[in-house]
Amino acid sequence: MTPALRTTRACTLGAVILAAAGVYLGTTPAPWLCVPSLYSALVLGWCASRELAIHRQILVRHEQARRAALGLEPLDGVPCCRLAEHSNGQAHGPDCHINSTRSNAT
């Protein structure tokens, strides 16, 4: 388990708790009190998705390093983020792990 995965789980738990609190506060005599809680739940949900992407990047980097140390073929076409998954294999940044498609795209 990477630190990013632990952070993802903590943010997800916080988002669920805050969303439940927001729903409860929406049923009180002052329903406007639910707005800060629901907004915080959305922010924590976004943070959880970002940390999950970082977790995936760490796993890909570790696997690439392991394969390089063993002298195996590098993984080709492993997406480093959601943008790479939906960009039809086009490299989108200098840190992108789609090495084979980057060299073939030119």
Side-chain angles (χ1 to χ4, degrees):
M1 179 184 294
T2 63
L5 186 59
R6 280 192 292 271
T7 305
T8 298
R9 290 179 178 175
C11 287
T12 303
L13 178 64
V16 168
I17 290 171
L18 284 170
V23 169
Y24 169 74
L25 288 172
T27 63
T28 61
W32 58 271
L33 290 174
C34 72
V35 173
S37 180
L38 293 177
Y39 178 77
S40 299
L42 287 174
V43 169
L44 281 178
W46 176 80
C47 290
S49 70
R50 295 304 313 141
E51 288 294 321
L52 186 60
I54 291 169
H55 168 71
R56 289 181 55 202
Q57 289 175 356
I58 290 169
L59 292 181
V60 169
R61 287 183 183 140
H62 285 182
E63 181 62 21
Q64 294 285 24
R66 185 187 73 80
R67 289 179 155 275
L70 293 174
L72 299 173
E73 287 282 323
L75 294 174
D76 290 337
V78 177
C80 63
C81 65
R82 288 187 183 179
L83 178 62
E85 291 175 356
H86 301 292
S87 66
N88 295 327
Q90 299 297 319
H92 59 276
D95 229 7
C96 184
H97 295 299
I98 306 178
N99 298 327
S100 64
T101 55
R102 179 182 298 169
S103 61
N104 293 338
T106 56

